[in-house]
Amino acid sequence: MMRIFLFLATNIAIMVVVSIIFNLLGLSGTLDAQGIDLNLNALLVMSALIGMTGSVISLAMSKWSAKRAMGVHVIEQPQNQTEQWLLDIVAKQARLAGIGMPEVGIFETPEANAFATGMNKNSALVAVSTGLLQNMNADEVEAVVGHEMTHVANGDMVTMALMQGVVNTFVFFFATIIGHFVDRVVFKTERGYGPAYYITQMVAQIALGFLASMLVMWFSRYREFKADAGGAKLAGSEKMIAALRALQRGQEAQDLPGQLAAFGINGGGVSRLFMSHPPLEERIAALQNNR
């Protein structure tokens, strides 16, 4: 709850600061003088509602959507020794991390992958792929589970969703201003909105969202180092390093769709600025330096 409060407080503070800056710079008056009858304070509030609501709803649906998108089989009654072992490992790490027992699942894919999701660290979902179980030994799988359990214990699902909500807020806010400006000043629309507003606003959202994703991806990379450190604490440093090296040896993991990509073990990315995970060699080096 404290983490949620801090992120919401930060979001509100940013909104207040931006509003003050607009007023101090006289931007509202300037826009009005140009015929842009835009209430920036109201727009900021509306943008926050839009940006945060979508993010919170996505977080609330994360377990449900994860199970269906990835075809996760939740282990309710273990059917074999592997499932029983996996449940035991998760239960052990949940006790060590001081969190509630999450749901545990397996999804079918030949790639070595795993993810954790859910809006509550005491009611999360941790899932591993069949490829992970087949291509890694028990110690390496234990370390991967520890990595994901650290995400849960740290509340990473919540912080990422809230950060995305803040980003969404300002993307919508500035895209709307740009669309309004083009529609009123360039195309001289006097009443209502013309096609220029909707086209420009949509293009601006895409462009600004693309740029803003760099900030979200930077934070994602930062928390991966924290999750690796947590996995090393829960399973052992050597096991965590061995798991990362096993990922290096294996085939490149397939990207997980949508929000799940933020929680998978995936070192891909066409550019460092847009990588959700740091390069594996950097993660291994960080663990080795902290031993």
Side-chain angles (χ1 to χ4, degrees), residues 110-184:
E111 308 295 342
N113 225 319
F115 68 86
T117 191
M119 68 180 303
N120 188 322
K121 67 179 182 180
N122 292 315
S123 180
L125 167 69
V126 174
V128 301
S129 70
T130 52
L132 185 80
L133 296 174
Q134 293 166 0
N135 297 324
M136 288 190 179
N137 62 38
D139 287 346
E140 293 163 350
V141 173
E142 181 182 356
V144 170
V145 171
H147 174 101
E148 299 305 329
M149 291 293 286
T150 302
H151 278 313
V152 175
N154 289 346
D156 282 340
M157 292 80 74
V158 174
T159 55
M160 284 297 292
L162 290 174
M163 184 172 187
Q164 186 64 60
V166 172
V167 169
N168 292 343
T169 295
F170 289 101
V171 166
F172 185 87
F173 178 75
F174 288 111
T176 300
I177 291 177
I178 294 170
H180 208 98
F181 180 85
V182 170
D183 193 49
R184 289 290 198 272

Side-chain angles (χ1 to χ4, degrees), residues 268-281:
V270 297
S271 168
R272 182 176 180 85
L273 291 177
F274 296 96
M275 288 171 59
S276 63
H277 289 56
L280 289 168
E281 57 270 19

Side-chain angles (χ1 to χ4, degrees), residues 185-197:
V185 176
V186 178
F187 288 88
K188 307 297 183 182
T189 301
E190 296 181 357
R191 293 185 179 181
Y193 287 122
Y197 166 78

Side-chain angles (χ1 to χ4, degrees), residues 1-138:
M1 288 301 296
M2 180 58 67
R3 185 176 289 106
I4 297 175
F5 171 80
L6 289 175
F7 265 78
L8 290 177
T10 300
N11 189 34
I12 293 172
I14 293 173
M15 290 169 57
V16 171
V17 169
V18 171
S19 178
I20 292 173
I21 291 174
F22 274 127
N23 289 327
L24 290 177
L25 295 178
L27 183 55
S28 296
T30 301
L31 293 176
D32 290 338
Q34 296 292 332
I36 301 180
D37 51 341
L38 189 62
N39 186 326
L40 294 178
N41 292 325
L43 173 60
L44 202 53
V45 172
M46 182 181 71
S47 299
L49 290 174
I50 293 173
M52 297 303 297
T53 299
S55 185
V56 170
I57 290 175
S58 176
L59 178 63
M61 296 178 61
S62 60
K63 283 207 303 182
W64 178 87
S65 59
K67 292 175 184 177
R68 282 151 184 78
M70 300 304 298
V72 175
H73 161 64
V74 176
I75 304 173
E76 296 178 353
Q77 293 293 331
Q79 302 298 312
N80 51 56
Q81 289 184 342
T82 298
E83 291 187 357
Q84 183 62 63
W85 174 83
L86 187 59
L87 283 177
D88 291 342
I89 287 296
V90 172
K92 172 187 173 183
Q93 293 187 354
R95 289 193 299 270
L96 291 174
I99 60 175
M101 177 68 178
E103 291 184 273
V104 182
I106 299 174
F107 57 98
E108 292 281 345
T109 177
E111 308 295 342
N113 225 319
F115 68 86
T117 191
M119 68 180 303
N120 188 322
K121 67 179 182 180
N122 292 315
S123 180
L125 167 69
V126 174
V128 301
S129 70
T130 52
L132 185 80
L133 296 174
Q134 293 166 0
N135 297 324
M136 288 190 179
N137 62 38

